[in-house]
Amino acid sequence: MQDVDFSGNTTVSQIAERLKNSARVDVVYGEERKIGDKTIIPIAVVAYAFGGGAGGGVAPGENGASNLTSGGGGGGGGGVRVQPVAVLEVTGDETRVLPVLDWTRIITTGITIFGAWLLVRSLFRRGR
């Protein structure tokens, strides 16, 4: 039977190695595209998150037997989020940064603020 390392070090090391290999500048600054006399370079925010864990233990055998059983396990996971934030526009005369608006986030924030305002308003009106 093959021995298995339940320390979690291997799992976390593998995840960290994969993330390190994918953390490159070209992930943030995309491939440039030429459109007429302009060069467009996309810019993004990249967020990495990962975690891992492991555990093991020893328990008495079934029905109070004197033999001990052991078990363990480990796991890990991670994620990458790439969100466009701007476009770098380069021409012969100037270089401009044009922000990319996330309308979903803007609308969701507006609805949340409006809902909170309605809640506070209704609470104050009940107190009268």
Side-chain angles (χ1 to χ4, degrees):
M1 184 170 154
Q2 179 180 353
D3 289 335
V4 179
D5 177 22
F6 290 113
S7 67
N9 294 335
T10 305
T11 304
V12 174
S13 297
Q14 289 173 349
I15 294 170
E17 189 64 32
R18 287 182 184 177
L19 289 176
K20 186 170 53 170
N21 290 337
S22 66
R24 299 180 315 271
V25 171
D26 59 339
V27 173
V28 175
Y29 294 99
E31 185 177 321
E32 67 179 38
R33 293 176 181 26
K34 298 232 184 250
I35 301 173
D37 63 340
K38 297 178 184 178
T39 301
I40 306 295
I41 303 169
I43 302 171
V45 171
V46 181
Y48 296 94
F50 72 97
V58 178
E62 293 182 19
N63 298 328
S66 61
N67 61 338
L68 298 176
T69 59
S70 64
V80 177
R81 179 175 157 228
V82 180
Q83 180 179 3
V85 293
V87 174
L88 190 63
E89 180 185 75
V90 181
T91 63
D93 299 331
E94 65 180 345
T95 300
R96 299 187 311 170
V97 176
L98 305 171
V100 174
L101 296 177
D102 185 357
W103 285 105
T104 303
R105 179 174 272 175
I106 292 169
I107 291 170
T108 303
T109 302
I111 291 171
T112 302
I113 291 171
F114 181 69
W117 176 76
L118 284 177
L119 179 65
V120 169
R121 185 177 143 215
S122 69
L123 290 175
F124 279 118
R125 288 198 174 194
R126 286 187 186 178
R128 289 184 180 182

